[in-house]
Amino acid sequence: MNSTVSSNFFNLLFLFIFLTTIKAAPTFLYQVCSKNKTNTNSTYETKLKTLFSSLSSNATDNNEFYNTTIPSKNPSNTAYGLFMCRGDVSSPLCQQCVANATQTLSTGSDCSLSKQAVIWYDECMVRYSNTSFFSTVATVPNLLMWNTANITNQESFMKLLSVTMNESADKAANSSVGAKKYATKEATISGFQTLYCMAQCTDDLSPLDCSSCLSVAIGALPQCCNGKQGGRVLFPSCNIRYELYPFYENNTPSSPPSTPPASSAPPGIVPPTNTSSLGGSSGITSGTIVAIVVPITVAVLLFIVGICFLCIRGRKKKHDSAAARDPKTETDITTVESLRYDLSTLEEATNKFSEANKLGEGGFGEVYKGVLPSGEQIAVKRLSKHSGQGGEQFKNEVELVAQLQHRNLARLLGFCLEREEKILVYEFVANKSLDYILFDPEKQRLLYWTRRYKIIGGIARGIQYLHEDSRLKIIHRDLKASNILLDGDMNPKISDFGMAKLFGVDQTKGNTSRIVGTYGYMSPEYAMQGDFSIKSDVYSFGVLVMEIISGKKNSSFYETGAAEDLVSYAWKLWKNGTPLELVDHTVRESYTPNEAIRCIHIGLLCVQEDPDDRPTMATIVLMLESHTVTLPVPKQPAFFLQSGADPDMPTIQISQSDNTN
Ligand SMILES: *[C@@H]1O[C@H](CO)[C@@H](O)[C@H](O)[C@H]1NC(C)=O
Ligand SMILES: *[C@@H]1O[C@H](CO)[C@@H](O)[C@H](O)[C@H]1NC(C)=O
Ligand SMILES: *[C@@H]1O[C@H](CO)[C@@H](O)[C@H](O)[C@H]1NC(C)=O
Ligand SMILES: *[C@@H]1O[C@H](CO)[C@@H](O)[C@H](O)[C@H]1NC(C)=O
Ligand SMILES: *[C@@H]1O[C@H](CO)[C@@H](O)[C@H](O)[C@H]1NC(C)=O
Ligand SMILES: *[C@@H]1O[C@H](CO)[C@@H](O)[C@H](O)[C@H]1NC(C)=O
Ligand SMILES: *[C@@H]1O[C@H](CO)[C@@H](O)[C@H](O)[C@H]1NC(C)=O
Ligand SMILES: *[C@@H]1O[C@H](CO)[C@@H](O)[C@H](O)[C@H]1NC(C)=O
Ligand SMILES: *[C@@H]1O[C@H](CO)[C@@H](O)[C@H](O)[C@H]1NC(C)=O
Ligand SMILES: *[C@@H]1O[C@H](CO)[C@@H](O)[C@H](O)[C@H]1NC(C)=O
């Protein structure tokens, strides 16, 4: 116990030293550039060179913003460009950032020679185009980023965030003429947590334009960053960011933080707090108390009222149906009732949901291992409290989902709906989930080739059943390695299907404003427009296939900051005629090259940008089973991180889980 504490302490210390030492270098975030490129040695290229050197040389002298035009006799070769550094960034760092940005734009393989581009760093942004864009608001292309860690008390937090961000935005937009359009604002979340907000517009915007740009950015927060501990919305014309730690230097003492003097503590290390002083001391303003307490009270009241209403309605309904003696309704009720588990039984089975029994945390709640008095092992999923549905409807959906039975689906055994709990009971599988084994350097050896091939086929049949064979036509929407469970014989069982149904989300192809998938597995149309269909599941399946073949996480590519992801890497190998280099080293002895190539081929067909180019699950199953089916030639897949075409450059969403703070 003591040793973990001290090792944690040293980790923190190390991290802190590490963070302090790397602080001086600019941090690259993302770049988007037009696919239309100019030629080498063209006039426009020489203009761009001049533009870049003018921008970097003007980044000195306390300039945090600079725009310039490099004219050309032929107007179409005129280059327009600007840079902006975050308002608090020191002049040397700003200069370094702009230098790094212009260098990356001109020599990097992605953007060199592009007609237009934007590049974002933590500390600065640089943008150029062959068309004048000064004094106009641009919100595309854009970049949304969020910290994957959740905040407790999400509802009140989002209210506080929107109010505080709005104040920063107004302050930034309303700054005096000639001054930078930059503002920060802090607010106390609770006695020992502070919210840090920042908003900035490029200086060429009018106050009104700045305000409208920031309004759009603030409006995007619920979409990307709902309930998250940190988030950013980066537009070409303005950007906002919030975190629970100070990420900017507070060099404008005009707005003293409303917190106790915690700012001297290094980021991420919460100063020791005397709990007895939380309530009374000066830290919390009454405004914050109102902002937090009122929504909570209202939410609790509404919840209680809702529960009572449902109880009464539920009782009445049962009464009615019994009185009507409709035989069909009666059998329905008995079927549902046979799926019901008592809360006390489940508490006993899971040792009162003890930590020791916890198997993991899924998208919709925590999962525990349980043993029933009969000795049967179960997996118990305790749904997060604010799930969207009333009890009666929840029961109906459970009954429907419980009818989905397939050897490659985790079986839903029943549910519990008692007090405030909504619980789902599943069959227990022995080998946890695919990610647990596939990405573990030791355990991945257990998955020799024939097992991997069998897993791919099993997942395909499971999804095919969900899409086509079951009565319900379910789109999974969150297929990923952690949602594939493995039984004692390493047979795959898909879990978490039907969750959207249980949560009362419309299942038909449609447009959801809230995206539920996992970054890295989401198809571009789903991630960018919220369009989902069976073809978005096919995309996720393709990513899964690549992961199973390579033994590498798609997301690990993002974490290392590599310019390409697993899919682009696979495509590159395929194009070079060396697809087998993708195959995991641990199965190099056991694999069948033909099968591996076929899997990679199918994987690439699944991640095609146009959903219509992706095969259906039925076709995929056929392709896997019959080696005589000829497969179409894959086109270049959807490169999630590089699909920035100019006219309507997409929204790119990146979640960061880096946050050690
Ligand atoms: C890109 O260039 C192609 C031809 O070179 C042209 O047809 C297309 O319209 C250009 N796209 C944009 C956005 O200018
Ligand atoms: C561009 O110019 C350089 C030097 O002037 C020359 O060496 C190079 O071959 C040129 N490249 C092209 C593609 O014309
Ligand atoms: C700033 O850029 C202009 C061209 O836009 C250039 O003439 C000037 O020398 C630059 N300033 C500095 C300090 O380099
Ligand atoms: C910089 O932007 C302002 C505001 O739009 C514009 O009036 C000015 O001409 C620009 N400067 C240059 C050198 O292009
Ligand atoms: C800028 O480049 C794009 C892409 O090549 C072209 O379509 C557009 O006409 C150019 N704009 C100007 C003002 O020349
Ligand atoms: C930009 O900065 C990064 C470190 O943040 C460094 O690794 C890289 O070499 C720099 N690139 C250029 C072109 O200066
Ligand atoms: C902008 O600032 C002026 C005075 O500096 C103030 O009167 C006005 O109310 C402010 N507007 C907003 C929207 O904050
Ligand atoms: C902030 O809120 C006020 C009042 O609701 C609104 O008028 C203003 O436009 C908001 N500002 C921004 C930047 O969203
Ligand atoms: C908190 O502060 C009070 C008064 O300063 C002190 O009596 C108490 O011991 C402190 N509690 C802790 C846990 O440090
Ligand atoms: C945060 O909450 C969402 C649902 O609100 C969940 O899907 C996600 O896994 C949670 N993330 C973490 C890191 O707990």
Side-chain angles (χ1 to χ4, degrees):
M1 184 70 196
N2 258 339
S3 73
T4 36
V5 169
S6 62
S7 90
N8 274 344
F9 173 73
F10 281 115
N11 281 346
L12 267 182
L13 192 68
F14 172 74
L15 197 75
F16 175 55
I17 293 167
F18 182 68
L19 285 176
T20 350
T21 45
I22 64 164
K23 212 179 161 203
T27 310
F28 169 78
L29 296 176
Y30 196 69
Q31 59 185 338
V32 186
C33 27
S34 65
K35 281 185 184 145
N36 273 356
K37 305 224 166 190
T38 181
N39 302 319
T40 31
N41 293 352
S42 66
T43 320
Y44 190 61
E45 195 201 2
T46 55
K47 298 294 168 193
L48 280 186
K49 282 204 179 116
T50 318
L51 175 72
F52 290 146
S53 75
S54 162
L55 288 179
S56 20
S57 60
N58 277 282
T60 50
D61 305 334
N62 294 322
N63 269 350
E64 53 77 52
F65 173 87
Y66 181 73
N67 68 329
T68 187
T69 308
I70 310 297
S72 165
K73 274 189 224 115
N74 179 349
S76 73
N77 286 326
T78 301
Y80 304 83
L82 62 75
F83 75 80
M84 173 172 78
C85 287
R86 203 177 63 211
D88 62 300
V89 165
S90 68
S91 206
L93 185 54
C94 176
Q95 193 182 358
Q96 201 185 337
C97 187
V98 173
N100 195 312
T102 50
Q103 176 117 33
T104 308
L105 285 175
S106 59
T107 59
S109 59
D110 295 331
C111 288
S112 74
L113 300 176
S114 281
K115 290 258 175 104
Q116 296 129 16
V118 194
I119 187 167
W120 287 282
Y121 286 68
D122 264 357
E123 294 83 6
C124 71
M125 64 155 287
V126 171
R127 178 181 177 201
Y128 72 81
S129 174
N130 64 340
T131 316
S132 175
F133 55 85
F134 302 137
S135 303
T136 49
V137 177
T139 57
V140 278
N142 54 40
L143 176 65
L144 311 180
M145 298 178 82
W146 62 90
N147 184 326
T148 48
N150 288 333
I151 193 122
T152 45
N153 233 328
Q154 308 197 340
E155 237 172 84
S156 60
F157 175 75
M158 290 313 284
K159 277 187 192 133
L160 179 67
L161 174 62
S162 120
V163 169
T164 316
M165 200 54 99
N166 179 299
E167 286 171 10
S168 321
D170 283 345
K171 219 164 93 188
N174 202 16
S175 53
S176 52
V177 184
K180 52 193 167 197
K181 294 192 163 48
Y182 165 81
T184 61
K185 180 105 191 151
E186 281 126 52
T188 309
I189 303 170
S190 64
F192 53 91
Q193 270 190 323
T194 306
L195 168 67
Y196 297 85
C197 293
M198 183 275 291
Q200 187 170 18
C201 295
T202 57
D203 294 13
D204 56 327
L205 294 190
S206 68
L208 204 61
D209 284 345
C210 175
S211 176
S212 71
C213 182
L214 290 170
S215 286
V216 178
I218 294 171
L221 280 176
Q223 197 189 81
C224 65
C225 313
N226 201 11
K228 302 297 174 197
Q229 291 195 357
R232 317 180 196 194
V233 178
L234 296 140
F235 290 159
S237 294
C238 67
N239 65 74
I240 57 174
R241 176 177 179 188
Y242 74 91
E243 304 287 353
L244 298 188
Y245 58 89
F247 55 92
Y248 47 79
E249 305 278 334
N250 219 342
N251 49 12
T252 43
S254 57
S255 63
S258 51
T259 31
S263 46
S264 59
I269 299 174
V270 178
T273 323
N274 182 332
T275 39
S276 69
S277 72
L278 283 187
S281 91
S282 56
I284 308 174
T285 63
S286 59
T288 323
I289 295 178
V290 171
I292 297 176
V293 171
V294 169
I296 294 178
T297 321
V298 170
V300 167
L301 278 178
L302 279 178
F303 189 76
I304 294 172
V305 169
I307 291 279
C308 291
F309 176 66
L310 285 172
C311 286
I312 291 168
R313 216 178 59 153
R315 231 178 265 156
K316 203 171 142 208
K317 215 171 192 173
K318 225 183 239 176
H319 193 256
D320 286 348
S321 61
R325 301 222 175 275
D326 177 346
K328 191 180 166 294
T329 322
E330 240 166 42
T331 43
D332 276 0
I333 286 173
T334 48
T335 336
V336 179
E337 289 311 310
S338 69
L339 294 171
R340 188 191 278 277
Y341 286 77
D342 289 332
L343 187 55
S344 57
T345 312
L346 295 180
E347 275 177 347
E348 206 174 311
T350 58
N351 209 352
K352 290 210 156 63
F353 301 106
S354 72
E355 272 302 303
N357 282 42
K358 194 160 154 183
L359 291 171
E361 204 156 334
F364 297 86
E366 289 154 345
V367 185
Y368 298 85
K369 180 180 177 173
V371 182
L372 293 175
S374 65
E376 187 187 358
Q377 295 185 320
I378 51 174
V380 177
K381 178 165 232 164
R382 196 178 188 188
L383 300 184
S384 46
K385 298 267 157 67
H386 18 252
S387 55
Q389 290 211 2
E392 203 56 37
Q393 202 184 349
F394 178 75
K395 266 183 354 192
N396 291 340
E397 300 299 355
V398 166
E399 196 196 355
L400 288 176
V401 173
Q403 286 169 7
L404 296 173
Q405 295 196 10
H406 186 274
R407 61 191 302 259
N408 295 116
L409 296 185
R411 210 173 141 206
L412 180 61
L413 301 175
F415 72 100
C416 166
L417 193 60
E418 248 175 79
R419 285 182 243 149
E420 290 174 22
E421 301 278 3
K422 275 186 194 164
I423 296 173
L424 296 172
V425 180
Y426 287 94
E427 68 172 324
F428 178 78
V429 296
N431 277 318
K432 294 204 178 178
S433 53
L434 180 60
D435 62 329
Y436 177 74
I437 297 190
L438 183 63
F439 303 133
D440 183 296
E442 286 306 313
K443 299 196 181 71
Q444 65 181 186
R445 288 170 203 286
L446 294 171
L447 295 178
Y448 43 82
W449 176 254
T450 44
R451 280 187 166 164
R452 292 196 191 196
Y453 195 60
K454 210 169 77 176
I455 289 172
I456 291 173
I459 298 171
R461 281 186 294 272
I463 308 171
Q464 185 196 2
Y465 174 82
L466 288 177
H467 284 180
E468 294 169 14
D469 297 346
S470 71
R471 263 200 305 141
L472 297 179
K473 304 221 178 301
I474 288 203
I475 300 166
H476 190 295
R477 299 215 266 173
D478 198 10
L479 279 172
K480 54 180 167 181
S482 60
N483 277 339
I484 307 296
L485 310 182
L486 295 174
D487 72 4
D489 299 323
M490 298 283 178
N491 289 312
K493 288 178 180 281
I494 300 167
S495 76
D496 258 10
F497 55 87
M499 291 313 273
K501 210 160 183 38
L502 292 171
F503 274 72
V505 184
D506 181 19
Q507 263 288 313
T508 52
K509 177 178 173 353
N511 200 307
T512 41
S513 53
R514 186 141 159 62
I515 290 169
V516 302
T518 299
Y519 179 68
Y521 291 90
M522 282 187 285
S523 60
E525 74 276 10
Y526 186 17
M528 288 165 196
Q529 284 111 33
D531 281 340
F532 65 90
S533 68
I534 54 173
K535 291 298 181 71
S536 25
D537 276 357
V538 170
Y539 184 95
S540 309
F541 173 78
V543 175
L544 253 175
V545 168
M546 304 293 188
E547 290 188 332
I548 295 171
I549 302 279
S550 66
K552 290 192 182 69
K553 275 189 208 182
N554 191 29
S555 59
S556 66
F557 279 74
Y558 302 112
E559 278 153 21
T560 57
E564 57 184 7
D565 55 11
L566 182 55
V567 168
S568 354
Y569 178 61
W571 170 248
K572 206 169 79 186
L573 294 176
W574 180 269
K575 246 188 358 190
N576 288 348
T578 53
L580 291 174
E581 274 179 38
L582 189 68
V583 177
D584 192 350
H585 284 274
T586 59
V587 297
R588 287 275 165 102
E589 276 98 63
S590 62
Y591 83 114
T592 321
N594 275 346
E595 285 176 352
I597 290 181
R598 207 169 175 80
C599 288
I600 297 169
H601 193 157
I602 293 172
L604 285 171
L605 291 176
C606 291
V607 295
Q608 298 289 296
E609 181 148 24
D610 184 348
D612 292 335
D613 287 344
R614 299 175 205 153
T616 61
M617 284 321 292
T619 313
I620 292 167
V621 169
L622 196 66
M623 288 168 170
L624 284 167
E625 279 169 0
S626 154
H627 287 214
T628 53
V629 180
T630 27
L631 310 187
V633 178
K635 291 185 256 180
Q636 168 157 332
F639 287 147
F640 202 70
L641 283 173
Q642 291 159 14
S643 51
D646 353 66
D648 39 0
M649 283 207 255
T651 297
I652 297 122
Q653 313 202 347
I654 296 184
S655 70
Q656 33 164 188
S657 46
D658 64 320
N659 226 328
T660 34
N661 290 292

